[in-house]
Amino acid sequence: MTWLFSSLRGYRLRWLRRDALAGLTVWAILVPEALAYAGIAGVPPVVGLYAAPAALVLYAAFGSSRHLVVGPMAATAALSAAVVGELAPGGGARFAAMTAALALMVGGMALLAGLLRLGFVAGFVSEPVLKGFIVGLALTIIVGQLPKLLGIEGGSGDFFERLRALIEGLGSTSFLSAAVGVAALALVVVLKKVAPVVPGSLIAVALGIAAVAVFDLDAHGVAVVGDVETGLPSFGFPDVSLGDLGDLVSGSVGVMLVAFAEGLGAAKTYASRDHYEVDADRELIGLGAAGLGAGLSSGMVVNGSLSKTAVNRSAGARSQLSGLFVAALTVITLLFLTGLFEQLPEPVLAAVVIAALVELVDIDSLVALYRVHTGTLGRMYGVASRPDFTAAVAAMAGVMVFDTLPGLFIGIGVSLLLLLYRSSRPHISELGRLPGDRYFASLDRHPESRRIPGVVVLRVEAGIYFANADRVRSGAREAATREGTRAVVIDAETVPFIDVSGVRMLDGLTDDLGNLGVRLLLARDVGQVRDVLRTAEAAPELRRVYPTVRAAVEAAGTGPGHESGWGEPGFDGNGAG
């Protein structure tokens, strides 16, 4: 495969220091987070570490992002606990085996989807939806980390439930824990501003561990990670039956979709910032390979991590070599260093995660989306006049209220509904001739343009199909009822397609206008429209499409020297504006 370890192709030696430093920084975050997320999944903390090395190496081999870091994540850990809990209640060895089997199933499904080139499904996730999804996910993770920062009991559920629990628990804030967490957060943020090349996250973690050792903070109420087992995992297929795998199929689909959405969102976010492309099919293959590696290592479900990718990129990573460093350091940790992280204060860990996510709460981008609207069409479309902003907010709110997967589908659904709504209500511009010019322009945008006496020229700014055919008919009939109208010309240059329902509508409209003594003519159709008009056997008048608007108007009985004032040589009657 030519793209195996593609991020290392053309590697430059001067990147080595940055990749090594980024790997060291991510490792300092991944280890304690993996321990915590294993607890969310209902398995021993060390299972989170088991999942990481093979997943990191295999993603680096097959994935397309230079910055994405894979590993256990909160959302998929919670889903894993829910799926496995229904099949193996009570925990224990069977629960751990089923958790590893779920990682294998998710990885296998993602790998198969990538090989079948189903990454096109990601095309339904527009950039605004992805932006809203990322903002909502970042806010949800941040509000989940704040209780750890302040040393209080955190809540569960959606963003608002967690926020309410946070507010209600403020009275029990641990002053010492809050001081440690806020100091660490301030250190990371300040260093990022004044000395971005300095690994603030790594320094905060080292200082936190040192503070516990020197000041005995854990004895004074500051929570630390706690005991972690030492040693490498056992490798091989988990001890489950084929029936167990069958029971995991439906749950695996949902977990895989969430894992893919989160990973692709993080990968695209940082690819756009550093001006390179990620391939959705390769991301599926990379996720699949990582999942298989995690499952065969007695681990848990893994996916692309938004927070750790943010840390990786901010620490200066240039390639997936940083991920390989993380994998090697995690193996060393399993063998020799688990005791070191037992003394890491949880407020420091929370501070590092929050600092990495704050920059992803990109409110400026949402404001920019709000400013993009349809202008003169705003009154007609309402909220649909700002479809990108509406879809982004829907995805953000969906994640914050209904969780990750529902939020993503809500954003996609709103995007598609707005697209259908707008395409079912196409803007129909009436065109007039610009004084002293060779072109037509829409009357609503260019008040100086003038109507052609006896002829109404309309421009339909959308494809004509079953959902909007009646609206196009109504607009043309309304124009035809004006006093003195002899013809209606449809400038079809902005009609990219037409279906059979649209053709039949135009046939009926031709007859309707004929009864009023008004002709219907088409001008400047594109090839696809012309083909459908011919093969659907449209009325002969409709198949006689005129090459220019002027030609159609002249065919309607108006030409040079008439009241239209067309006397200038070379006027071609093409539309503009």
Side-chain angles (χ1 to χ4, degrees):
M1 297 182 184
T2 58
W3 38 262
L4 199 66
F5 288 104
S6 60
S7 73
L8 302 184
R9 192 167 296 118
Y11 194 84
R12 300 176 184 178
L13 192 59
R14 67 174 182 270
W15 297 349
L16 182 60
R17 184 181 65 84
R18 287 191 174 186
D19 278 336
L21 188 59
L24 189 62
T25 306
V26 172
W27 163 77
I29 304 305
L30 180 142
V31 171
E33 281 194 350
L35 301 175
Y37 296 152
I40 294 175
V43 291
V46 75
V47 171
L49 294 181
Y50 289 165
L56 287 162
V57 172
L58 289 170
Y59 177 81
F62 295 101
S64 64
S65 171
R66 300 175 194 166
H67 297 103
L68 188 68
V69 178
V70 296
M73 280 291 291
T76 47
L79 287 173
S80 175
V83 172
V84 175
E86 293 182 358
L87 303 174
R94 175 168 165 75
F95 193 99
M98 290 291 282
T99 298
L102 179 65
L104 282 174
M105 291 292 292
V106 171
M109 286 184 177
L111 182 61
L112 180 61
L115 293 174
L116 293 175
R117 305 190 66 79
L118 298 181
F120 72 89
V121 174
F124 291 96
V125 186
S126 67
E127 183 178 342
V129 167
L130 201 56
K131 176 63 68 177
F133 176 78
I134 293 294
V135 172
L137 184 58
L139 287 172
T140 302
I141 296 174
I142 287 172
V143 80
Q145 292 293 319
L146 285 173
K148 297 179 182 179
L149 186 81
L150 302 175
I152 62 179
E153 191 70 26
S156 59
D158 61 41
F159 171 86
F160 297 100
E161 290 171 336
R162 294 181 183 187
L163 181 61
R164 183 179 63 185
L166 173 66
I167 294 172
E168 291 174 349
L170 287 177
S172 60
T173 298
S174 166
F175 175 78
L176 186 56
S177 295
V180 171
V182 171
L185 180 59
L187 175 65
V188 176
V189 171
V190 170
L191 285 177
K192 187 177 294 186
K193 292 288 185 182
V194 302
V197 297
V198 176
S201 300
L202 181 59
I203 291 174
V205 168
L207 290 177
I209 293 173
V212 171
V214 173
F215 300 109
D216 205 18
L217 296 181
D218 52 335
H220 293 84
V222 177
V224 295
V225 170
D227 294 336
V228 181
E229 295 179 24
T230 299
L232 295 177
S234 58
F235 297 95
F237 201 86
D239 185 18
V240 295
S241 66
L242 288 177
D244 291 332
L245 294 178
D247 292 336
L248 288 171
V249 169
S250 58
S252 299
V253 174
V255 177
M256 189 268 284
L257 289 173
V258 171
F260 181 51
E262 288 196 42
L264 185 64
K268 282 191 170 183
T269 295
Y270 289 101
S272 65
R273 294 187 181 190
D274 283 359
H275 311 293
Y276 67 92
E277 297 292 327
V278 295
D279 184 303
D281 292 319
R282 281 185 57 192
E283 288 305 294
L284 278 169
I285 293 172
L287 172 65
L292 291 175
L296 293 173
S297 303
S298 304
M300 56 185 286
V301 174
V302 296
N303 61 280
S305 166
L306 184 62
S307 58
K308 287 185 280 293
T309 302
V311 171
N312 192 38
R313 194 256 190 181
S314 65
R318 302 299 297 269
S319 74
Q320 279 295 327
L321 188 61
S322 65
L324 298 180
F325 274 118
V326 178
L329 289 169
T330 304
V331 171
I332 293 172
T333 301
L334 283 167
L335 291 173
F336 309 110
L337 301 178
T338 53
L340 179 64
F341 285 92
E342 293 176 355
Q343 301 303 310
L344 173 63
E346 288 195 356
V348 172
L349 174 60
V352 173
V353 173
I354 291 170
L357 289 170
V358 163
E359 68 180 42
L360 297 179
V361 184
D362 194 353
I363 301 301
D364 289 342
S365 291
L366 296 181
V367 172
L369 289 175
Y370 180 80
R371 291 173 180 161
V372 178
H373 57 86
T374 57
T376 58
L377 306 184
R379 289 187 297 275
M380 181 176 76
Y381 287 131
V383 296
S385 66
R386 290 182 170 88
D388 292 332
F389 173 76
T390 303
V393 171
M396 181 181 71
V399 171
M400 295 169 71
V401 176
F402 299 107
D403 211 349
T404 308
L405 184 60
L408 180 64
F409 285 150
I410 287 170
I412 295 172
V414 168
S415 290
L416 295 177
L417 285 175
L418 289 173
L419 176 63
L420 291 173
Y421 176 77
R422 295 183 69 199
S423 68
S424 70
R425 299 168 62 86
H427 184 55
I428 303 174
S429 296
E430 183 176 355
L431 306 183
R433 183 198 172 198
L434 290 169
D437 204 335
R438 309 195 310 167
Y439 297 105
F440 284 110
S442 58
L443 295 173
D444 55 355
R445 292 182 180 273
H446 299 274
E448 69 275 18
S449 57
R450 296 290 179 263
R451 292 186 171 95
I452 306 300
V455 180
V456 178
V457 181
L458 301 178
R459 181 174 64 199
V460 181
E461 299 179 358
I464 300 176
Y465 70 115
F466 65 92
N468 64 20
D470 288 341
R471 187 173 182 84
V472 175
R473 180 202 294 264
S474 298
R477 282 180 59 86
E478 181 181 348
T481 57
R482 295 177 190 167
E483 185 176 353
T485 299
R486 296 188 303 275
V488 173
V489 174
I490 295 181
D491 179 3
E493 186 183 37
T494 54
V495 179
F497 67 91
I498 189 171
D499 70 356
V500 173
S501 297
V503 174
R504 295 296 168 250
M505 179 276 293
L506 292 176
D507 283 340
L509 182 61
T510 300
D511 294 338
D512 292 345
L513 299 190
N515 293 333
L516 299 175
V518 177
R519 295 177 63 191
L520 177 67
L521 301 95
L522 297 182
R524 300 203 301 167
D525 65 334
V526 296
Q528 187 181 35
V529 173
R530 186 182 307 120
D531 292 342
V532 175
L533 290 173
R534 184 185 71 252
T535 56
E537 299 183 350
E541 184 81 334
L542 297 176
R543 281 182 277 170
R544 190 183 304 118
V545 179
Y546 297 89
T548 66
V549 174
R550 177 184 181 178
V553 173
E554 288 180 341
T558 305
H562 289 100
E563 291 182 72
S564 64
W566 286 352
E568 299 91 332
F571 176 72
D572 61 12
N574 288 328

